[in-house]
């Protein structure tokens, strides 16, 4: 299956981000080790191999990024806490890395249930 490359659609992906950030490997926004860390899990066994990382700041941004990636057949790898131990969340095939680190707001809290709604 032929997948699109995120680096071919940078301006379109950036347009999806009102508060988020698009980082291209080697552009100076993150050092190399920090950039690659977002594409690996806790095992550090499987090497990351990707060129573009997206930091989303809302579920709306995330949804729009996913829609655009689907349209252009760009594979994505989400990066949550990066605590996995099986390599399932390693960005190793040139896909778009999507960091969920900035989805960190508490949206609702009900102490009587108890229940919370978070991003």
């Amino acid at each position: 299956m032929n997948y699109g490359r995120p680096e071919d659609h940078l301006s379109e992906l950036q347009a999806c981000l009102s508060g988020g950030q698009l980082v291209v490997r080697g552009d100076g926004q993150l050092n190399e080790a920090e950039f690659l860390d977002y594409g690996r899990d806790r095992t550090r066994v499987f090497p990351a191999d990707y060129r573009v990382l997206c930091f989303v700041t809302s579920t709306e941004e995330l949804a729009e990024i996913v829609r655009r990636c689907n349209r252009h057949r760009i594979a994505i790898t989400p990066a949550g806490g990066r605590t996995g131990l099986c390599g399932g969340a390693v960005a190793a095939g040139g896909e778009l890395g999507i960091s969920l680190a900035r989805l960190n707001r508490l949206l609702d809290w009900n102490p009587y249930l108890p229940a919370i709604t978070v991003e």
Side-chain angles (χ1 to χ4, degrees):
M1 181 177 291
N2 292 331
Y3 289 104
R5 297 172 357 132
E7 53 268 31
D8 294 338
H9 303 281
L10 292 177
S11 60
E12 187 174 347
L13 294 170
Q14 183 66 53
C16 300
L17 304 171
S18 58
Q21 177 184 9
L22 200 64
V23 178
V24 177
R25 185 175 182 177
D27 71 0
Q29 294 184 67
L30 296 173
N31 67 47
E32 183 76 0
E34 192 176 14
F35 181 87
L36 290 175
D37 195 45
Y38 282 98
R40 291 190 284 238
D41 67 5
R42 185 171 284 179
T43 64
R44 302 290 189 251
V45 172
F46 307 102
D49 182 20
Y50 70 112
R51 302 230 357 105
V52 182
L53 174 63
C54 179
F55 290 92
V56 293
T57 58
S58 70
T59 54
E60 293 80 17
E61 284 182 354
L62 177 59
E64 188 57 33
I65 287 286
V66 170
R67 274 192 286 277
R68 303 280 174 107
C69 287
N70 183 52
R71 183 179 309 137
H72 296 295
R73 300 182 48 81
I74 297 170
I76 62 174
T77 298
R82 301 185 315 276
T83 58
L85 296 173
C86 66
V90 175
E95 59 269 52
L96 174 67
I98 301 177
S99 173
L100 307 177
R102 297 182 185 172
L103 293 179
N104 58 6
R105 291 182 297 159
L106 173 66
L107 301 176
D108 187 36
W109 177 56
N110 185 333
Y112 300 106
L113 287 180
I116 63 173
T117 303
V118 296
E119 288 181 316

